Amino acid sequence: MKLRDQLSLVLTFVTGGVLGVSFLVVSLLVRRDETEDLDRAILAQAMAAVLLVAEKAPEAPQVIEGVRGQIPEIPAPVRRYEAIYASHGQVLSATRTFEGNVPSLEQLGVPESLPGEGVVVELSVRGNPLRGVVLPFGEGNRFRMLYALTRRSVDEDLRFLQKLFLALFLVAIAVTALLSRFLGARLAADVGMLAGVARAVARGDLDARVRGRTRDSAELRALSDDMDRMIEQLGELVSNQRIFISHAAHELRSPLATLRGQLQLALRRERSPDEYREIIQDALAEVEALGALAEDLLVLARHQDGHSPRGAEVVVEALLQDALRMAQGFALQRDVQVQLLTPADPLRIRGVRSDLTRAIRNLLDNAVAHTPPGGEVRVELRESERGVEIAVVDPGPGVPREDAPRIFAPFFRGSREQSGEIQGAGLGLAIVREIARAHGGDVQLDSAHAPGARFVLWLPKAPG
Ligand SMILES: Nc1ncnc2c1ncn2[C@@H]1O[C@H](COP(=O)(O)OP(=O)(O)OP(=O)(O)O)[C@@H](O)[C@H]1O
Ligand SMILES: [Mg+2]
């Protein structure tokens, strides 16, 4: 069912239900109040009538018509129905209004032992509905008086009220149905428009936007703004992804081309075993570089999915020792010393040991690569309010100010590195950042540090 019809149906049903119940309750209350008023009037008049009759004709109360003028009357020309019975039920006297149809006490359902305040009775005379009271009176309660008035006014009031309610009910239902249909149509149009934009995006049109075309509801406007923002981010994500893939393809292509060239060269003519060995060793170095690149890409992809690794508790000093051992060969090759400064008490963090070691090693490799031969790299571990801080400091040329905002982006390499002898794909720092963030921490370049470079990796301390 369409949203518009659904909304209209639900609202109409609810309005109808609430109005119906309210009208019913009001009718019942009015009916009760009016009947109570009538009963009070009947009782007052009945008592007056009884007193009058008892005074005028205490022994044989036969002539009611004769004393009628002295009974207090309720306003409006109403017909009264009075009848006097002996206690055993014989009709002694009655007004002419009964037109000879005086009901017996039995027909009225009056009990023989009548209470002093009488009983209320409902009766009908020639199709005219009456409400009355039967009171005992006379010496030893020898007589009964029925005093009744028509209840037509109460019934007419109620009927009028019911007609009025019915008319109001029908008008309210019609207005609700029309109004809710109109509002539903407006809402459905807005939802349809949002759905249209979502469909366009699903088809690949990342330029589709809602651009505030929804009508005046604040929620829909907020939703359309959110949707536009989401599409924009989606577009950025897709374009970043494209750039990433093209960079990755490029990085893979150059070592593959070198490898292919080397192998083609080897096959061009017969070579000595030593020449073959040399070519194979070169090719192996390229294959190893390719393997490392593939590994870096995999690590990056694994950490970009937004899931936090569970890992186990690890002692940071042990991580630093592992990373140092791995970077040792490169440091020796470049004649660079690495000094480790750790606090007396061991610090613990939670995470995946191999990933955390890789992050520290990437920072160490960068520091060693940028340190002039004979220089020293310092790794300082300390506890801070952010958790555990690992600072890797080198005395190299530092990061140029214009490169600083981009060094953590995948495949970014400084102009110096691109042209110079330092090899790399520009993935090291991107991997460090992804690993740090996946573990609830982050990595920053300390821009205030000079000369040289200082990178700070911080990670939350293990709970407890
Ligand atoms: N210690 C440092 N001193 C100066 N510049 C640095 C330092 N570390 C990183 N950089 C700059 O940041 C860039 C990105 O570093 P990153 O580690 O991501 O890539 P890479 O070292 O060039 O290659 P890869 O790490 O993938 O082998 C470097 O090319 C360099 O310009
Ligand atoms: Mg690096």
Side-chain angles (χ1 to χ4, degrees), residues 362 366 428-429:
N362 284 0
N366 281 354
L429 287 180

Side-chain angles (χ1 to χ4, degrees), residues 184-351:
R186 272 175 72 118
L187 191 65
D190 282 350
V191 170
M193 213 244 310
L194 291 177
V197 172
R199 271 197 299 274
V201 171
R203 277 197 305 271
D205 175 11
L206 289 173
D207 291 328
R209 295 286 185 281
V210 187
R211 262 192 267 280
R213 275 180 291 149
T214 47
R215 281 169 240 233
D216 38 18
S217 121
E219 287 84 354
L220 278 177
R221 234 177 304 137
L223 178 65
S224 71
D225 288 350
D226 286 347
M227 226 169 124
D228 282 352
R229 219 167 299 128
M230 188 187 76
I231 301 169
E232 216 150 282
Q233 280 172 0
L234 207 65
E236 269 173 34
L237 215 67
V238 170
S239 102
N240 283 347
Q241 209 78 357
R242 279 199 197 117
I243 294 171
F244 186 90
I245 291 170
S246 75
H247 276 308
H250 178 262
E251 288 297 325
L252 287 169
R253 205 168 47 186
S254 23
L256 276 174
T258 314
L259 194 60
R260 188 158 165 241
Q262 285 166 344
L263 295 176
Q264 276 173 343
L265 197 71
L267 286 177
R268 201 164 286 167
R269 61 177 169 80
E270 277 302 313
R271 292 175 189 277
S272 67
D274 282 349
E275 279 177 322
Y276 276 128
R277 183 168 298 113
E278 195 183 327
I279 290 169
I280 290 171
Q281 265 165 357
D282 286 350
L284 201 61
E286 289 299 334
V287 169
E288 272 163 9
L290 269 173
L293 181 63
E295 174 73 19
D296 278 355
L297 287 173
L298 274 176
V299 172
L300 209 53
R302 187 152 51 85
H303 285 95
Q304 274 175 342
D305 67 359
H307 290 112
S308 304
R310 308 203 98 238
E313 204 173 283
V314 276
V315 177
V316 189
E317 283 83 346
L319 290 179
L320 295 181
Q321 293 289 358
D322 286 355
L324 199 63
R325 218 170 299 120
M326 288 177 185
Q328 200 64 49
F330 185 41
L332 275 177
Q333 191 188 322
R334 287 193 53 86
D335 186 22
V336 170
Q337 296 287 318
V338 181
Q339 203 193 349
L340 217 86
L341 299 163
T342 54
D345 292 331
L347 295 173
R348 290 166 204 281
I349 54 176
R350 239 192 129 68

